[in-house]
C-alpha cells in the first residue's frame, strides 16, 4: 500500500517523499494512476489460471448435465454455479477497481444462485439440471448484453460527421 505525504508550505506542496500530491502516485514507478498492464510470466499465469477455471467450470457443468457419477461432480458443479455468474457480472462492472469488482461479482453470483433456487423451490420445479440451466442462461444473457453494449460503443455514430 502506498502512502503519500503532502504538506503545503510557503513554496507550495512538499513532495519530499516522491509522490505527486495531485493524485498520490509515485512518478518513479511510471504509473499515472491507471492500471498497470501485465507482461511476462504474470500475464502467462493469468491466462493459465483463467483457462483452468474455465475448464473446471465446464467439466462441472458437463458432469452435472449428463448425470455422471464422479466425486468431482459436486465441487466442479458448485464452482460453475459461482464462477459463471461472477464472470458475467464482473464483465459488466467495468468502472470498479479489481478488488471491488471481484467482491461485487461474487456477491452478485451468490444472489443469482439463491434467487434461482428460491424461485425453483417456490414453484415446485426444483432440479439440479434446471438450476444449472437457469444460471447458465442468466450468465450467457448478461455476457451477450455486455458484448452488445461494447460493440455498440465501438461503432462510430453517423451523426455530426
Amino acid at each position: 500500500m502506498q502512502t503519500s505525504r503532502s504538506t503545503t508550505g510557503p513554496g507550495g506542496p512538499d513532495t519530499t517523499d516522491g509522490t505527486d500530491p495531485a493524485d498520490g502516485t509515485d512518478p518513479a514507478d511510471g504509473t499515472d494512476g491507471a492500471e498497470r498492464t501485465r507482461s511476462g510470466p504474470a500475464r502467462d499465469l493469468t491466462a493459465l489460471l483463467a483457462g483452468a477455471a474455465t475448464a473446471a467450470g465446464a467439466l462441472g457443468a458437463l458432469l452435472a448435465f449428463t448425470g455422471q457419477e464422479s466425486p468431482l461432480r459436486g465441487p466442479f458443479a458448485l464452482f460453475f454455479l459461482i464462477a459463471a455468474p461472477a464472470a458475467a457480472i464482473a464483465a459488466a462492472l467495468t468502472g470498479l477497481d479489481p478488488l471491488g469488482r471481484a467482491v461485487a461479482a461474487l456477491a452478485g453470483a451468490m444472489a443469482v444462485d439463491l434467487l434461482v433456487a428460491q424461485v425453483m423451490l417456490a414453484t415446485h420445479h426444483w432440479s439440479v439440471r434446471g438450476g444449472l440451466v437457469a444460471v447458465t442462461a442468466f450468465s450467457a444473457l448478461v455476457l451477450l448484453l455486455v458484448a452488445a453494449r461494447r460493440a455498440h460503443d465501438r461503432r462510430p455514430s453517423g451523426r455530426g460527421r
Side-chain angles (χ1 to χ4, degrees):
M1 182 171 163
Q2 179 174 302
T3 60
S4 80
R5 177 177 56 96
S6 176
T7 58
T8 305
D14 177 22
T15 59
T16 57
D17 65 350
T19 59
D20 182 6
D23 62 359
T25 60
D26 187 1
D29 70 358
T31 61
D32 59 350
E35 232 179 79
R36 293 182 189 172
T37 57
R38 295 182 184 173
S39 62
R43 185 175 180 154
D44 294 340
L45 181 62
T46 302
L48 179 68
L49 290 175
T54 303
L59 179 63
L62 181 69
L63 288 173
F65 278 131
T66 59
Q68 296 291 321
E69 293 298 324
S70 170
L72 298 177
R73 181 177 68 179
F76 283 176
L78 182 61
F79 179 76
F80 174 79
L81 287 172
I82 299 297
I89 293 170
L93 298 175
T94 56
L96 294 177
D97 63 340
L99 180 61
R101 183 188 296 186
V103 169
L106 286 174
M110 294 298 295
V112 166
D113 290 340
L114 291 173
L115 183 64
V116 166
Q118 182 68 29
V119 168
M120 290 181 75
L121 286 171
T123 60
H124 302 287
H125 287 85
W126 171 252
S127 72
V128 174
R129 288 184 183 144
L132 283 167
V133 167
V135 169
T136 303
F138 170 82
S139 302
L141 179 65
V142 170
L143 284 173
L144 286 173
L145 290 174
V146 167
R149 183 184 69 192
R150 288 183 183 165
H152 182 266
D153 290 345
R154 280 194 304 253
R155 188 177 56 197
S157 64
R159 296 181 196 171
R161 290 188 185 183

